[in-house]
Amino acid sequence: MRLLALFGSATWCCSGRLLVRHFSQAARPGGEELSRLPFDDLAPGWRSAGGLELLFGLSPCLLALRAARRRVARLLLQAGRAGLQGERAELLRAAEERGIPILRPRRRKLDALSRYQVHQGVCLEVSPLRPRPWTEAGEARPGDDPQQLWLVLEGLQDPRNLGAVLRSAHFLGVDKVITSRRNSCPLTPVVSKASAGALEVMDVFSTDDLTGFMQAKALQGWLVAGTVGCPGPEIPHSSEIPVISCLEFLWDRPTLLVLGNEGSGLSQEVQASCQLLLTILPRRQLPPGLESLNVSVAAGILLHSICSQRKGFPAEGEREQLLQDTPESSATFKEPRVAQHPGLSSGSETERQNAG
């Protein structure tokens, strides 16, 4: 079944049959006007043309409309709802204001179109998002802000891992995200859904020469901190790069935090370009196969450990209140620390725990 779109018109037609009718400006989203929209019987094998893709899920679709970074061809809203409230009504209102055609496929059609992903009854036919060249990320220098944090991702291939990492990065205040163009997952709708829509509002950059990018930032005075599992075979014995717990890291200058591939971690070339390696220490003896964390989980722990040091971090007031309630611990937290190595605070993690 061929779909003929008459842009700028009030209707779309297919084989002489009315598919979509725009709302009048006076109509309230989710009200009587919505209930009068006809159901759409899209063919099960229908696929988007013109390089468009199907974004699915309430948050990704709503944030995509708010950000207005994608070209939106039409909104697909699951049929069978007499009225819409909350974010769904906002989504409908935004589509109406932008003159976006609205279709109402039945659930089984929407399931097939989204390849049975969790679409929450909402899909958008949109243009893809692609990473921008890292040269467009701006020439932020150490003198601008001593607490800048850029997240660098080498070869993440699982779209759900990438989406979860982007969600944590956005939540915790990462300034920029740089990905390697080689062997990395593209910015697909699955990534957007896994990020809860964070992809729609974040700027993601990429580079063909990750080591060159890292070396260039190091020459500008940035600290390049890689990440590894617990010290073991993946770190060469001859390596002179310090390995410390993320809890000992002192964030005193602009930093690149570099995460590696889900299976192999950082490549030897990228790891050799790091000035420091951070690790997350386990709290028990672990059997083989459980000695590492999922990359998205590790990213959340590492980012929270670093970003908690940022001035004005949202939880700062809560921490201060906690310190006031427990004066015996104040000396431990307020004791000045002198860095022995860029990014390494004085005193070991064990010593600080014993002091508390």
Short mmCIF file of all heavy atoms in Angstrom, two decimals, residues 120-154:
data_model
loop_
_atom_site.label_atom_id
_atom_site.label_comp_id
_atom_site.label_asym_id
_atom_site.label_seq_id
_atom_site.Cartn_x
_atom_site.Cartn_y
_atom_site.Cartn_z
N GLN A 120 5.35 2.40 24.28
CA GLN A 120 4.43 3.15 25.15
C GLN A 120 3.31 3.84 24.37
O GLN A 120 2.76 4.84 24.81
CB GLN A 120 5.19 4.18 25.99
CG GLN A 120 6.24 3.57 26.92
CD GLN A 120 7.08 4.62 27.59
OE1 GLN A 120 7.88 5.29 26.95
NE2 GLN A 120 6.89 4.77 28.89
N GLY A 121 3.01 3.32 23.19
CA GLY A 121 1.93 3.87 22.40
C GLY A 121 2.28 5.11 21.61
O GLY A 121 1.40 5.78 21.07
N VAL A 122 3.58 5.44 21.54
CA VAL A 122 4.01 6.69 20.89
C VAL A 122 5.23 6.42 20.02
O VAL A 122 6.21 5.82 20.49
CB VAL A 122 4.34 7.77 21.93
CG1 VAL A 122 4.88 9.02 21.23
CG2 VAL A 122 3.13 8.11 22.78
N CYS A 123 5.20 6.85 18.77
CA CYS A 123 6.36 6.79 17.88
C CYS A 123 6.43 8.06 17.04
O CYS A 123 5.39 8.69 16.78
CB CYS A 123 6.30 5.57 16.96
SG CYS A 123 6.44 3.97 17.76
N LEU A 124 7.63 8.41 16.62
CA LEU A 124 7.84 9.54 15.71
C LEU A 124 8.67 9.06 14.53
O LEU A 124 9.67 8.36 14.71
CB LEU A 124 8.59 10.67 16.40
CG LEU A 124 7.84 11.65 17.29
CD1 LEU A 124 8.83 12.67 17.87
CD2 LEU A 124 6.73 12.37 16.54
N GLU A 125 8.25 9.44 13.35
CA GLU A 125 9.06 9.19 12.16
C GLU A 125 9.97 10.40 11.98
O GLU A 125 9.50 11.51 11.72
CB GLU A 125 8.18 8.99 10.94
CG GLU A 125 8.94 8.58 9.70
CD GLU A 125 8.04 8.49 8.49
OE1 GLU A 125 6.80 8.43 8.66
OE2 GLU A 125 8.58 8.47 7.37
N VAL A 126 11.28 10.19 12.15
CA VAL A 126 12.22 11.32 12.25
C VAL A 126 13.48 11.07 11.42
O VAL A 126 13.78 9.94 11.04
CB VAL A 126 12.63 11.55 13.73
CG1 VAL A 126 11.44 11.97 14.57
CG2 VAL A 126 13.29 10.29 14.31
N SER A 127 14.23 12.13 11.21
CA SER A 127 15.56 12.01 10.61
C SER A 127 16.54 11.54 11.68
O SER A 127 16.35 11.80 12.87
CB SER A 127 16.01 13.37 10.05
OG SER A 127 16.05 14.33 11.09
N PRO A 128 17.59 10.83 11.29
CA PRO A 128 18.55 10.31 12.27
C PRO A 128 19.38 11.43 12.92
O PRO A 128 19.54 12.51 12.36
CB PRO A 128 19.45 9.38 11.44
CG PRO A 128 18.71 9.14 10.17
CD PRO A 128 17.88 10.36 9.93
N LEU A 129 19.90 11.11 14.10
CA LEU A 129 20.91 11.96 14.75
C LEU A 129 22.27 11.31 14.52
O LEU A 129 22.42 10.10 14.66
CB LEU A 129 20.65 12.08 16.25
CG LEU A 129 19.55 13.03 16.72
CD1 LEU A 129 19.48 13.02 18.23
CD2 LEU A 129 19.77 14.44 16.21
N ARG A 130 23.24 12.12 14.20
CA ARG A 130 24.60 11.61 14.01
C ARG A 130 25.57 12.43 14.85
O ARG A 130 25.36 13.63 15.04
CB ARG A 130 25.00 11.66 12.54
CG ARG A 130 24.17 10.72 11.66
CD ARG A 130 24.65 10.72 10.23
NE ARG A 130 23.94 9.73 9.43
CZ ARG A 130 22.79 9.95 8.83
NH1 ARG A 130 22.22 11.14 8.92
NH2 ARG A 130 22.21 8.99 8.12
N PRO A 131 26.64 11.79 15.35
CA PRO A 131 27.64 12.56 16.11
C PRO A 131 28.26 13.65 15.25
O PRO A 131 28.45 13.48 14.05
CB PRO A 131 28.68 11.50 16.50
CG PRO A 131 27.99 10.19 16.34
CD PRO A 131 26.99 10.37 15.24
N ARG A 132 28.59 14.76 15.89
CA ARG A 132 29.27 15.84 15.19
C ARG A 132 30.78 15.67 15.33
O ARG A 132 31.26 15.04 16.28
CB ARG A 132 28.83 17.18 15.78
CG ARG A 132 27.34 17.47 15.58
CD ARG A 132 26.83 18.48 16.59
NE ARG A 132 27.60 19.71 16.60
CZ ARG A 132 27.50 20.64 17.55
NH1 ARG A 132 26.67 20.45 18.57
NH2 ARG A 132 28.22 21.72 17.51
N PRO A 133 31.57 16.23 14.43
CA PRO A 133 33.03 16.15 14.56
C PRO A 133 33.49 16.79 15.87
O PRO A 133 32.95 17.84 16.28
CB PRO A 133 33.54 16.94 13.35
CG PRO A 133 32.40 16.94 12.38
CD PRO A 133 31.16 16.94 13.21
N TRP A 134 34.48 16.19 16.53
CA TRP A 134 34.89 16.70 17.83
C TRP A 134 35.46 18.11 17.73
O TRP A 134 35.48 18.86 18.72
CB TRP A 134 35.91 15.76 18.48
CG TRP A 134 37.33 15.90 18.01
CD1 TRP A 134 37.94 15.18 17.04
CD2 TRP A 134 38.32 16.80 18.52
NE1 TRP A 134 39.26 15.58 16.89
CE2 TRP A 134 39.52 16.58 17.80
CE3 TRP A 134 38.32 17.78 19.50
CZ2 TRP A 134 40.69 17.30 18.04
CZ3 TRP A 134 39.50 18.50 19.74
CH2 TRP A 134 40.65 18.26 19.01
N THR A 135 35.91 18.50 16.53
CA THR A 135 36.42 19.86 16.35
C THR A 135 35.35 20.91 16.59
O THR A 135 35.66 22.08 16.80
CB THR A 135 37.01 20.02 14.94
OG1 THR A 135 36.04 19.57 13.97
CG2 THR A 135 38.27 19.18 14.77
N GLU A 136 34.07 20.50 16.56
CA GLU A 136 32.97 21.43 16.83
C GLU A 136 32.61 21.48 18.31
O GLU A 136 31.69 22.20 18.70
CB GLU A 136 31.73 21.03 16.02
CG GLU A 136 31.92 21.07 14.52
CD GLU A 136 30.66 20.68 13.77
OE1 GLU A 136 29.60 20.57 14.42
OE2 GLU A 136 30.73 20.47 12.54
N ALA A 137 33.36 20.74 19.13
CA ALA A 137 33.04 20.70 20.56
C ALA A 137 33.48 21.96 21.29
O ALA A 137 33.11 22.16 22.45
CB ALA A 137 33.70 19.47 21.21
N GLY A 138 34.25 22.80 20.63
CA GLY A 138 34.70 24.03 21.27
C GLY A 138 36.09 23.86 21.83
O GLY A 138 36.53 22.77 22.18
N GLU A 139 36.79 24.95 21.93
CA GLU A 139 38.17 24.93 22.43
C GLU A 139 38.21 25.34 23.89
O GLU A 139 38.86 26.31 24.26
CB GLU A 139 39.05 25.85 21.57
CG GLU A 139 39.26 25.35 20.15
CD GLU A 139 40.00 24.02 20.13
OE1 GLU A 139 40.86 23.80 21.00
OE2 GLU A 139 39.71 23.20 19.25
N ALA A 140 37.51 24.59 24.73
CA ALA A 140 37.55 24.87 26.17
C ALA A 140 38.95 24.57 26.69
O ALA A 140 39.52 23.51 26.41
CB ALA A 140 36.52 24.01 26.90
N ARG A 141 39.52 25.50 27.46
CA ARG A 141 40.87 25.35 27.97
C ARG A 141 40.84 25.32 29.50
O ARG A 141 39.89 25.78 30.12
CB ARG A 141 41.76 26.48 27.44
CG ARG A 141 41.85 26.47 25.91
CD ARG A 141 42.83 27.51 25.39
NE ARG A 141 42.90 27.47 23.93
CZ ARG A 141 43.64 26.62 23.24
NH1 ARG A 141 44.38 25.73 23.89
NH2 ARG A 141 43.66 26.63 21.93
N PRO A 142 41.93 24.80 30.09
CA PRO A 142 41.94 24.66 31.54
C PRO A 142 41.65 25.94 32.31
O PRO A 142 41.06 25.90 33.37
CB PRO A 142 43.37 24.16 31.81
CG PRO A 142 43.75 23.44 30.56
CD PRO A 142 43.10 24.20 29.45
N GLY A 143 42.09 27.08 31.78
CA GLY A 143 41.86 28.32 32.49
C GLY A 143 40.40 28.72 32.56
O GLY A 143 40.01 29.54 33.40
N ASP A 144 39.57 28.16 31.69
CA ASP A 144 38.17 28.53 31.66
C ASP A 144 37.41 27.98 32.87
O ASP A 144 36.62 28.67 33.48
CB ASP A 144 37.51 28.02 30.37
CG ASP A 144 38.15 28.62 29.12
OD1 ASP A 144 38.75 29.70 29.25
OD2 ASP A 144 38.06 28.00 28.06
N ASP A 145 37.62 26.73 33.18
CA ASP A 145 36.93 26.08 34.29
C ASP A 145 37.76 24.87 34.72
O ASP A 145 37.95 23.94 33.94
CB ASP A 145 35.53 25.62 33.84
CG ASP A 145 34.75 24.95 34.96
OD1 ASP A 145 35.28 24.85 36.08
OD2 ASP A 145 33.61 24.53 34.72
N PRO A 146 38.29 24.88 35.95
CA PRO A 146 39.13 23.77 36.39
C PRO A 146 38.37 22.46 36.56
O PRO A 146 38.98 21.41 36.70
CB PRO A 146 39.69 24.26 37.73
CG PRO A 146 38.68 25.24 38.21
CD PRO A 146 38.15 25.91 36.99
N GLN A 147 37.05 22.51 36.52
CA GLN A 147 36.27 21.29 36.71
C GLN A 147 35.40 21.03 35.49
O GLN A 147 34.18 20.99 35.55
CB GLN A 147 35.43 21.38 37.97
CG GLN A 147 36.26 21.25 39.24
CD GLN A 147 35.40 21.05 40.48
OE1 GLN A 147 34.35 21.68 40.63
NE2 GLN A 147 35.85 20.20 41.37
N GLN A 148 36.07 20.83 34.36
CA GLN A 148 35.39 20.36 33.16
C GLN A 148 35.60 18.85 33.06
O GLN A 148 36.66 18.34 33.38
CB GLN A 148 35.95 21.04 31.91
CG GLN A 148 35.69 22.55 31.86
CD GLN A 148 36.26 23.14 30.59
OE1 GLN A 148 35.82 22.81 29.49
NE2 GLN A 148 37.25 24.01 30.73
N LEU A 149 34.57 18.16 32.60
CA LEU A 149 34.67 16.71 32.45
C LEU A 149 34.07 16.30 31.12
O LEU A 149 32.89 16.52 30.86
CB LEU A 149 33.93 16.00 33.60
CG LEU A 149 33.99 14.47 33.57
CD1 LEU A 149 35.43 13.98 33.72
CD2 LEU A 149 33.11 13.87 34.66
N TRP A 150 34.91 15.72 30.27
CA TRP A 150 34.45 15.18 29.01
C TRP A 150 34.54 13.66 29.09
O TRP A 150 35.56 13.11 29.52
CB TRP A 150 35.31 15.68 27.84
CG TRP A 150 35.14 17.15 27.54
CD1 TRP A 150 34.56 18.09 28.34
CD2 TRP A 150 35.57 17.83 26.36
NE1 TRP A 150 34.59 19.32 27.74
CE2 TRP A 150 35.21 19.19 26.51
CE3 TRP A 150 36.22 17.44 25.20
CZ2 TRP A 150 35.49 20.14 25.55
CZ3 TRP A 150 36.50 18.38 24.24
CH2 TRP A 150 36.13 19.73 24.41
N LEU A 151 33.49 12.98 28.68
CA LEU A 151 33.45 11.53 28.68
C LEU A 151 33.82 11.02 27.29
O LEU A 151 33.20 11.41 26.29
CB LEU A 151 32.06 11.04 29.07
CG LEU A 151 31.85 9.53 29.15
CD1 LEU A 151 32.74 8.91 30.21
CD2 LEU A 151 30.38 9.22 29.44
N VAL A 152 34.83 10.16 27.22
CA VAL A 152 35.32 9.62 25.95
C VAL A 152 35.00 8.13 25.91
O VAL A 152 35.34 7.39 26.84
CB VAL A 152 36.84 9.85 25.81
CG1 VAL A 152 37.34 9.30 24.47
CG2 VAL A 152 37.17 11.33 25.93
N LEU A 153 34.35 7.68 24.84
CA LEU A 153 33.90 6.29 24.72
C LEU A 153 34.59 5.64 23.53
O LEU A 153 34.43 6.08 22.39
CB LEU A 153 32.38 6.25 24.55
CG LEU A 153 31.56 7.00 25.61
CD1 LEU A 153 30.08 6.98 25.24
CD2 LEU A 153 31.78 6.39 26.99
N GLU A 154 35.33 4.57 23.83
CA GLU A 154 36.03 3.86 22.76
C GLU A 154 35.33 2.53 22.46
O GLU A 154 35.36 1.60 23.25
CB GLU A 154 37.49 3.57 23.14
CG GLU A 154 38.25 2.91 21.99
CD GLU A 154 39.54 2.23 22.41
OE1 GLU A 154 39.77 2.03 23.61
OE2 GLU A 154 40.32 1.89 21.50
#
